[in-house]
Amino acid sequence: GENVEQHPSTLSVQEGDSAVIKCTYSDSASNYFPWYKQELGKGPQLIIDIRSNVGEKKDQRIAVTLNKTAKHFSLHITETQPEDSAVYFCAAIKSGYALNFGKGTSLLVTP
Amino acid sequence: DTAVSQTPKYLVTQMGNDKSIKCEQNLGHDTMYWYKQDSKKFLKIMFSYNNKELIINETVPNRFSPKSPDKAHLNLHINSLELGDSAVYFCASSQSSANPLHFGNGTRLTVT
């Protein structure tokens, strides 16, 4: 099955700095790559996603890049704010299967 | 309106008991899932149903039995609970695979 590796497991940045989280996947047939944010006591919420026919996608302060050849994708958060502090998960899937998640990155943004 | 709602939010029970967690989605999605999140926050797929039919059944003990009475509901019944079953269980739904998942807020199960 699909194996998703995520790094780093913890990340601490100062408010206003950028944060980057990286993931790799094993199955070249994977075609959908979402990113989720999980706040304490809540379920994961989708923040951005990208499909395999696109190399980059941006939504305000959040961007995702995908390198299909290298089988890795990254989340970029610019101008971080304290409310960005949460656990972030990458995931990968191919059609007909279920999402496989990375092990999560705990992001702390300090004022 | 809550899109994916699961009950109860907290469940504390003793080893050997049987318990159920209920999940309902009002998004009109065809596919529903159960995920288990362990103490290290790792999210692992347990089951997936599409339009009331089981399509994914990962290596989960037979003590766990999902039931989907209709495509808006997916319940999870657990027999003979063990200490290792303690975790947060998340229900989710999506229009189909390879589409965004919408998660409930989880059920924290504690087995003593």
Side-chain angles (χ1 to χ4, degrees), chain A residues 32 36 38 43 51 96-97 99, chain B residues 35 37 97-101 105:
Chain A
Y32 176 61
Y36 286 82
Q38 186 177 22
R51 296 193 184 270
Y97 292 78
L99 273 178
Chain B
Y35 277 84
Q37 187 171 48
S97 70
N99 276 294
L101 259 63
N105 279 328

Side-chain angles (χ1 to χ4, degrees), chain A residues 14-19 60-61 77-82 84 109:
Chain A
Q14 283 205 313
E15 184 176 0
D17 288 349
S18 295
Q60 299 183 339
R61 297 185 297 109
I77 307 174
T78 58
E79 300 170 31
T80 53
Q81 301 166 2
D84 294 330
V109 181

Side-chain angles (χ1 to χ4, degrees), chain A residues 31-32 36 38 40-44 46 49 51 89 93-103, chain B residues 9 33 35 37 40-45 48 55-56 90 97-106:
Chain A
N31 57 3
Y32 176 61
Y36 286 82
Q38 186 177 22
L40 201 60
K42 295 188 177 180
L46 180 74
D49 56 9
R51 296 193 184 270
F89 293 94
I93 187 176
K94 58 182 179 182
S95 297
Y97 292 78
L99 273 178
N100 284 291
F101 285 86
K103 291 191 175 181
Chain B
K9 188 170 176 62
Y33 310 82
Y35 277 84
Q37 187 171 48
K40 295 184 179 179
K41 299 287 188 182
F42 183 49
L43 277 162
K44 186 171 170 56
I45 181 70
S48 174
I55 55 171
I56 292 172
F90 286 100
S97 70
N99 276 294
L101 259 63
H102 295 256
F103 282 87
N105 279 328

